[in-house]
Amino acid sequence: MTLAAKQLGSEESLDALLRRGAERIADGRGCDWAEALFEARLLVAFVTGLGTAALMLQGDRSPAPGVSRRFSYLCDRRAAGEPIAYLLGERGFWRHRFRTTTGVLIPRPDTEVLVEWALELLPSQARWRVIDLGTGTGAIGLSIAAERPEAEIHAVDRSPAAVELAARNRAFLAEQGATVSMGLWRGDWLAAIASASVDLLVSNPPYLAADDPHLGEGDLRHEPCEALVAADDGLADYRRLCAGARRVLRPGGWLLLEHGFAQAESVADRLHQAGFVSVASRRDLAGHPRVTAGRQPG
Ligand SMILES: C[S@@+](CC[C@H](N)C(=O)[O-])C[C@H]1O[C@@H](n2cnc3c(N)ncnc32)[C@H](O)[C@@H]1O
């Protein structure tokens, strides 16, 4: 039995359990009290099946048998740094919840800039062909598919775990009431696509350098290296994506690329070198250039 499990006695109320769990998380992670309490509340809600609002109203209740032990186990894992999204098994992105699992990157709010831009370009009712390259959980492709049911959306990933999870998420979004249709393919970027018939390509490829110090921090320590790291200081995949995109985009089609906050210029250079026009970047909520796009001439 872990230290937290010993401390979290089954006689306690849910409120007391919550406070002790938050203390454990704050101690282990060195985060502030508000953040630890927020995370502990998510974990109590998860193990009890109560919503966080119901939890606030029913805090004096005693937990059901087994709840304390399960909660303590999750608090210990969170205190040791495991991502909360892996512990809860899901993360909100754009308008839906997505299943998460170890071995596949957790979707980030920064990536919503890419979705927003893609939706601005993609007219509603248009039967555009769209491909999400390196789909991971399916967050980008499925979010676009849910907003633009008329479009033909496909998603590709090299990782079998990612393709499997994206398929689960396609069903999960349907359970949440979304109308989603998205073809899923395992493969190496655009290698399997022959014709120049694609209207829009979107990608959040791996872009960290192998020696990036952030890889030793936070959630990144637990996420798959193949989803995060690329050669050539993190820029290796952009050259391949740009060359492949020139081959498969129709005249006037768009390529949208997410990148690191200091990589906008390098990605724009690669787009220009590949022959794209109308190259421009957009910023994330923190004000960093986060997505750069180019248009196929013609
Ligand atoms: C940064 S993650 C992005 C995941 C997801 N699109 C998101 O934004 O949350 C990069 C993804 O690209 C995939 N990937 C890496 N190299 C690839 C390749 N050569 N071909 C296809 N997918 C690749 C990884 O498996 C990973 O799922």
Side-chain angles (χ1 to χ4, degrees), residues 105 107 111 134-136 140 157-159 187-189 204-206 226-227 240:
L105 192 101
T111 303
T135 196
I140 299 172
D157 206 291
R158 188 173 57 178
S159 148
D188 181 15
W189 296 140
N204 173 18
E226 317 79 69
R240 289 191 60 208

Side-chain angles (χ1 to χ4, degrees), residues 93 103-108 111-112 114 132-141 156-163 185-191 202-207 223-229 237 240-241 258:
F93 179 85
V104 181
L105 192 101
I106 300 162
R108 307 288 204 273
T111 303
E112 293 179 348
L114 180 66
D132 172 13
L133 298 160
T135 196
T137 56
I140 299 172
V156 177
D157 206 291
R158 188 173 57 178
S159 148
V163 173
W185 313 93
R186 188 150 88 81
D188 181 15
W189 296 140
L190 289 156
V202 289
S203 185
N204 173 18
Y207 56 69
E223 292 179 289
C225 187
E226 317 79 69
L228 295 167
V229 174
D237 285 303
R240 289 191 60 208
L241 286 164
E258 179 169 335

